Amino acid sequence: MLPWMAEHDTLAQRLGVILTKLNSGQRLVISELADEFNVSARTIQRDLNRRLAYLPLEREGQTYWLDPSYLGRATTSAILRLCEQLGAKALFPDDHDTLIKLWLNPTSSPVFVLTGFQLDEDDGHRQWLKPLAKAISQQRIIRLSWCGEPAEQEVEPYILVNKRGRWLLAGARAGTPFIEPLSKIASLQQMDSPAIIDEALQRQLNSLIEQEAPPTHEVVIKAASPIAHEFKLRNILPEQALIRELEDGSILLASRVFDGAQLLPVIKTYLPHLEVISPAGLQALVKRDLKALLNRM
């Protein structure tokens, strides 16, 4: 277990491991589980008697096991029930079974870290979760391009992080650690070359992930005259500030966000009367989503 995992994520990992042990037919002793997860015996009792109460558990003293007739059946449905209890299910795409199993019970090193289970209203970027999770679990290099940056880059993916409802990719490019929003990805391809991230890089990446909040960026938006009054009456954008009013009745607004994709739901609501002036990458995201919508119609 990585030391910077948030409390809820640690809980989910613990419950996932316990669920996997039970489903494999193991008899679990409370004191042994408490030592394994470095928690109190009371915490393990709460896990078994409350959080996993929907399972047909049998008990003798401090030892618990799954009813033998249910062995092998506590798979997808039980895992999804667990994720619903923790509020984590909504963070993954609808066809999420494989991803959730990777989160709760990774085959080797962790693939996901969820620091809180808030839901990002914009979910267009979740298309990248499956290919990235596959590349991380198989330790393969990926080739990707970022919105606004047409040149492709080879990247060694390390882990997928969800912070405040936003999905981020932590990895290394040309030996330099980075953590970037998935919403900035324009294309992605898995390569056959192995991804090797040494311990020094891992420590740097863990430090980036531990940071309380990523830096904010300024976004400049133009609100056309038909809707300008709404933005004058109330702050609709995060940290909204009026830059100036224009002669045609439109206004220029500034907003500070962790990731420009946070503004996509608002921008889409007010289209075609909102225009992103800067950064150019955010305008590219808007065009991409509009193109995808038109293709589905």
Side-chain angles (χ1 to χ4, degrees):
M1 192 73 63
L2 296 175
W4 33 260
M5 285 183 175
E7 179 181 352
H8 279 295
D9 197 34
T10 305
L11 167 65
Q13 295 277 357
R14 187 174 72 245
L15 294 180
V17 172
I18 291 174
L19 181 65
T20 303
K21 289 176 180 287
L22 289 168
N23 198 43
S24 65
Q26 296 185 40
R27 290 180 171 246
L28 307 183
V29 180
I30 287 179
S31 59
E32 294 176 358
L33 289 176
D35 290 341
E36 178 179 348
F37 296 109
N38 194 28
V39 296
S40 67
R42 181 171 295 181
T43 295
I44 297 298
Q45 288 176 328
R46 190 181 302 118
D47 289 342
L48 293 167
N49 297 330
R50 296 183 185 178
R51 296 179 176 124
L52 298 177
Y54 59 89
L55 295 175
L57 296 177
E58 298 186 0
R59 174 184 176 185
E60 182 178 316
Q62 297 297 301
T63 302
Y64 289 73
W65 65 92
L66 190 66
D67 181 341
S69 64
Y70 281 81
L71 287 179
R73 292 166 56 182
T75 53
T76 301
S77 60
I79 289 174
L80 294 184
R81 176 78 174 272
L82 170 60
C83 290
E84 287 173 348
Q85 290 179 330
L86 295 168
K89 182 179 174 182
L91 295 178
F92 295 91
D94 291 337
D95 52 344
H96 42 39
D97 298 359
T98 302
L99 297 180
I100 289 177
K101 289 177 183 177
L102 274 175
W103 167 48
L104 289 175
N105 191 36
T107 53
S108 54
S109 59
V111 175
F112 297 103
V113 173
L114 310 185
T115 58
F117 300 136
Q118 303 97 324
L119 178 62
D120 188 348
E121 292 181 11
D122 174 54
D123 62 357
H125 55 274
R126 287 197 265 176
Q127 63 180 301
W128 307 121
L129 284 176
K130 277 194 169 181
L132 285 172
K134 180 180 178 182
I136 292 170
S137 62
Q138 296 180 354
Q139 296 183 320
R140 291 290 182 266
I141 286 176
I142 56 173
R143 178 177 293 163
L144 55 76
S145 63
W146 306 99
C147 293
E149 301 177 17
E152 290 187 336
Q153 301 176 348
E154 286 197 356
V155 166
E156 294 172 309
Y158 176 56
I159 204 162
L160 286 159
V161 184
N162 192 289
K163 271 197 171 185
R164 301 188 178 111
R166 298 179 310 113
W167 281 108
L168 308 165
L169 170 64
R173 50 192 169 206
T176 303
F178 73 89
I179 180 167
E180 295 283 359
L182 266 59
S183 57
K184 290 181 62 177
I185 297 176
S187 66
L188 187 153
Q189 178 185 2
Q190 179 175 320
M191 311 299 290
D192 292 331
S193 306
I196 302 173
I197 298 181
D198 59 32
E199 291 185 5
L201 267 178
Q202 288 184 26
R203 286 194 296 270
Q204 294 179 59
L205 283 165
N206 292 346
S207 179
L208 284 178
I209 297 168
E210 280 180 335
Q211 292 177 8
E212 189 169 337
T216 59
H217 308 279
E218 183 178 76
V219 177
V220 177
I221 289 179
K222 179 181 178 181
S225 56
I227 61 168
H229 66 284
E230 295 189 36
F231 289 82
K232 289 181 181 179
L233 289 173
R234 60 193 178 96
N235 291 334
I236 299 175
L237 305 172
E239 298 187 34
Q240 177 179 310
L242 176 65
I243 299 176
R244 67 176 181 272
E245 298 187 30
L246 305 179
E247 293 182 358
D248 61 359
S250 60
I251 57 175
L252 287 181
L253 300 162
S255 174
R256 296 205 66 85
V257 293
F258 296 111
D259 174 14
Q262 289 177 258
L263 298 178
L264 286 177
V266 175
I267 294 170
K268 293 174 184 177
T269 299
Y270 287 95
L271 284 176
H273 300 299
L274 274 188
E275 177 187 356
V276 178
I277 305 300
S278 67
L282 180 56
Q283 183 64 25
L285 283 179
V286 175
K287 291 180 179 179
R288 181 198 71 186
D289 288 358
L290 284 176
K291 183 178 180 181
L293 177 61
L294 291 172
N295 289 337
R296 290 198 296 265
M297 295 177 64

